[in-house]
Amino acid sequence: PGRVYSLTSSGWTQSNATTFNLLATGLLGVATSTGSGAGLLVEGVVYLNADPGGGLGDVIYLDTTAGALTNDVSGFTTGDIVRVVGYKVGTNKVYFSPSKDWIEIS
């Protein structure tokens, strides 16, 4: 539970921000169980399996690590996708509301 997935033509797959494709720019959901297709939250407050860092109220982004979120995009490089997915509301707890907008680093 607590991993981030994206809907692709192959079904729900762990998302990441490393390439311009549906894994970074498509419909996102957070797993509420260990199965990727069972119990995905597409908006709302969710507990994550790993804390994304930062403090309360910080903006949270899709990470380059598969299935993860982060508060720090300073290490992103050319071709990575910067996409806001919510706000930190507690330790391992995020208000998940992915933006439909994103930026590709060039």
Side-chain angles (χ1 to χ4, degrees), residues 5-20:
Y5 291 84
S6 183
L7 184 59
T8 69
S9 60
S10 302
W12 290 97
T13 305
Q14 282 193 32
S15 63
N16 67 69
T18 60
T19 308
F20 171 72

Side-chain angles (χ1 to χ4, degrees), residues 10 87 92:
S10 302
Y87 301 91
N92 288 51

Side-chain angles (χ1 to χ4, degrees), residues 63-83:
D63 198 358
T64 54
T65 301
L69 300 178
T70 185
N71 75 312
D72 182 11
V73 295
S74 64
F76 282 28
T77 60
T78 301
D80 290 345
I81 304 296
V82 177
R83 183 174 180 187

Side-chain angles (χ1 to χ4, degrees), residues 6-96:
S6 183
L7 184 59
T8 69
S9 60
S10 302
W12 290 97
T13 305
Q14 282 193 32
S15 63
N16 67 69
T18 60
T19 308
F20 171 72
N21 60 26
L22 288 177
L23 296 179
T25 63
L27 176 64
L28 300 179
V30 176
T32 59
S33 70
T34 55
S36 64
L40 286 168
L41 176 80
V42 294
E43 183 173 4
V45 176
V46 65
Y47 280 98
L48 304 173
N49 66 333
D51 190 77
L56 293 180
D58 281 357
V59 172
I60 301 299
Y61 305 90
L62 184 62
D63 198 358
T64 54
T65 301
L69 300 178
T70 185
N71 75 312
D72 182 11
V73 295
S74 64
F76 282 28
T77 60
T78 301
D80 290 345
I81 304 296
V82 177
R83 183 174 180 187
V84 173
V85 295
Y87 301 91
K88 184 168 182 170
V89 294
T91 303
N92 288 51
K93 192 174 179 183
V94 168
Y95 171 65
F96 187 76

